[in-house]
Amino acid sequence: MSRFFSQKFASLIPYTPGEQPRDRRYIKLNTNESPFPPSPLAQRLARQEAGDLQLYSDPACAVLVQTAAEYFGVEPEELIFTNGSDDILNFAMMAFCDADHPAAFPDVTYGFYPVLAALNGVPFEEFPLREDFTIRPEDYTGAGATIFLANPNAPTGIALPLSDVERIIASNPDNVVVVDEAYVDFGGESCLGLIKKYDNLLVTRTFSKSRSLAGGRLGFGMGNRNLIRDLNTLRYSANPYCVNRMTMMAGVGAILDEAYFRFCCGGIVKTREETAEKLKTLGFEMTDSAANFLFIRHPRVGGMELYRFLYEKGILIRHFETPRLKDYNRVSVGSEEEMRSLTEALAELLGEKA
Ligand code: PMP
């Protein structure tokens, strides 16, 4: 820390992103990226836009907002685009949380929430998941806090039924409920249909997973127009051009290419189910994932040992060194071939240990 660093950030522990090593070619199953490249239409529109990069991007993201509003069946005023969904989660933390409106989320969830709370000086409460990693909805009813719910949750992949999500939203009319639907396209029930009914609901989504644009950085939020206006007040005060021209057009292409989107999501879900079956025959235990990853543990192999073994084999998965998660690893669903390499490597490890 330099002697110039503001004291208010002195104890901030930043989020640790999954590794992006370049020392060799790894099978990357550690950051929930898509195994499929971006849609050909998304690539073509982004390439065309490259010729205009001397010009700033449209801060209103008008073309993208219009395309997305039609696709999702919302008004343009009910939509905001940002630089990945981490960006909108930060704006939501800034906009809707303070000493009188603390944040609340599960003790096991997306690791960015506590970091964003700390960054913004927001007090927060973590509600423990049940032993089986499911959420206890009753913890959140009438919580008197700004709630952040990843649905499906991360890193467990477990989806909360829509009826429970609605109960949480309805019971907190004076607080915003942020439902982070980063993984919803792989099997969760979306609560998007509730944004007209509840003015306290913000739904966030990303193009990083189901639309193969993690490196493009594109996320968005949908909710009551007054919530969106508040978020835009902050976005225009912080970084009005947060979505660059090429990403904006890649986003348009990714939305318009519905057939490709369905093909990718369908393939990932099929591979997830096939991999889960194979892992179960190897003795792995796992949560019931509705996302593009599996959360696994083996009764005979420690989480770190498994991670290290695969690392040596050139396969990267995500290990979390917290007491509750240390026996587990999160494995992104890659291509069929990548998952075959994974299951073969694991069979070898278990064979060695038999
Ligand atoms: N929410 C959840 C639950 C996530 O796992 C992630 C990805 N790490 C994000 C949001 C952020 O994704 P991005 O910023 O790439 O849109």
Side-chain angles (χ1 to χ4, degrees):
M1 191 190 312
S2 81
R3 61 198 166 90
F4 307 105
F5 196 42
S6 169
Q7 269 308 307
K8 65 178 185 272
F9 297 126
S11 58
L12 187 65
I13 302 169
Y15 177 71
T16 314
E19 299 150 282
Q20 303 285 354
R22 307 207 171 269
D23 58 331
R24 61 184 268 201
R25 222 179 146 74
Y26 288 91
I27 293 179
K28 264 194 98 273
L29 305 176
N30 67 333
T31 46
N32 300 341
E33 289 143 328
S34 174
F36 297 104
S39 127
L41 180 62
Q43 293 190 44
R44 181 153 53 79
L45 294 183
R47 259 196 309 272
Q48 276 171 12
E49 198 64 18
D52 282 335
L53 280 179
Q54 78 280 16
L55 303 171
Y56 283 109
S57 57
D58 171 15
C61 303
V63 178
L64 181 55
V65 163
Q66 195 56 45
T67 309
E70 280 169 27
Y71 180 83
F72 290 107
V74 302
E75 299 303 318
E77 297 76 21
E78 294 169 333
L79 249 173
I80 177 174
F81 277 89
T82 54
N83 189 296
S85 58
D86 286 340
D87 206 23
I88 189 163
L89 292 169
N90 183 34
F91 287 134
M93 193 68 78
M94 286 168 82
F96 307 124
C97 299
D98 53 33
D100 298 326
H101 305 85
F105 36 81
D107 64 339
V108 176
T109 190
Y110 184 32
F112 220 73
Y113 303 156
V115 177
L116 290 175
L119 174 68
N120 290 291
V122 167
F124 61 92
E125 187 170 3
E126 295 174 293
F127 295 119
L129 296 182
R130 295 189 186 105
E131 200 55 42
D132 65 358
F133 292 111
T134 54
I135 282 172
R136 282 166 32 99
E138 54 273 30
D139 287 343
Y140 302 86
T141 45
T146 303
I147 295 164
F148 289 78
L149 274 183
N151 194 30
N153 197 12
T156 63
I158 298 173
L160 191 62
L162 182 58
S163 52
D164 286 333
V165 176
E166 177 160 11
R167 195 146 52 91
I168 292 170
I169 300 162
S171 70
N172 287 285
D174 297 325
N175 284 96
V176 173
V177 178
V178 179
V179 183
D180 175 349
E181 295 190 340
Y183 300 104
V184 77
D185 295 323
F186 304 108
E189 277 179 290
S190 175
C191 65
L192 178 58
L194 301 178
I195 65 164
K196 303 227 193 266
K197 189 167 169 191
Y198 298 101
D199 68 355
N200 61 327
L201 168 62
L202 178 70
V203 180
T204 64
R205 298 264 188 103
T206 178
F207 278 59
S208 296
K209 319 290 177 187
S210 57
R211 296 186 192 269
S212 303
L213 285 173
R217 312 302 303 125
L218 188 61
F220 60 111
M222 293 174 282
N224 179 277
R225 63 190 64 213
N226 291 326
L227 292 186
I228 300 299
R229 200 174 297 136
D230 295 341
L231 292 164
N232 267 320
T233 298
L234 298 183
R235 187 173 71 88
Y236 276 82
S237 305
N239 186 1
Y241 306 110
C242 65
V243 182
N244 73 72
R245 297 186 79 100
M246 289 175 74
T247 293
M248 216 178 283
M249 290 315 294
V252 170
I255 294 173
L256 294 179
D257 200 346
E258 175 72 4
Y260 187 78
F261 166 72
R262 283 179 192 270
F263 166 79
C264 294
C265 292
I268 290 165
V269 169
K270 180 166 168 282
T271 309
R272 178 186 73 210
E273 296 308 310
E274 286 167 359
T275 308
E277 280 317 304
K278 273 193 209 145
L279 292 175
K280 282 178 192 164
T281 61
L282 291 173
F284 280 90
E285 295 164 3
M286 64 197 73
T287 49
D288 190 11
S289 174
N292 67 340
F293 53 82
L294 292 164
F295 189 56
I296 63 169
R297 90 167 161 186
H298 198 281
R300 285 194 289 118
V301 192
M304 192 57 174
E305 183 185 354
L306 198 98
Y307 166 84
R308 285 224 177 95
F309 176 83
L310 290 175
Y311 195 98
E312 291 307 315
K313 295 266 169 204
I315 301 175
L316 281 183
I317 59 174
R318 189 77 197 255
H319 183 67
F320 302 91
E321 215 20 72
T322 60
R324 214 172 157 187
L325 304 185
K326 66 179 177 29
D327 292 339
Y328 283 83
N329 281 288
R330 191 195 67 194
V331 181
S332 309
V333 177
S335 67
E336 279 179 27
E337 198 188 335
E338 288 172 329
M339 300 320 268
R340 204 172 314 118
S341 303
L342 170 85
T343 48
E344 280 169 12
L346 291 173
E348 184 190 325
L349 170 69
L350 293 164
E352 280 172 14
K353 292 184 74 76

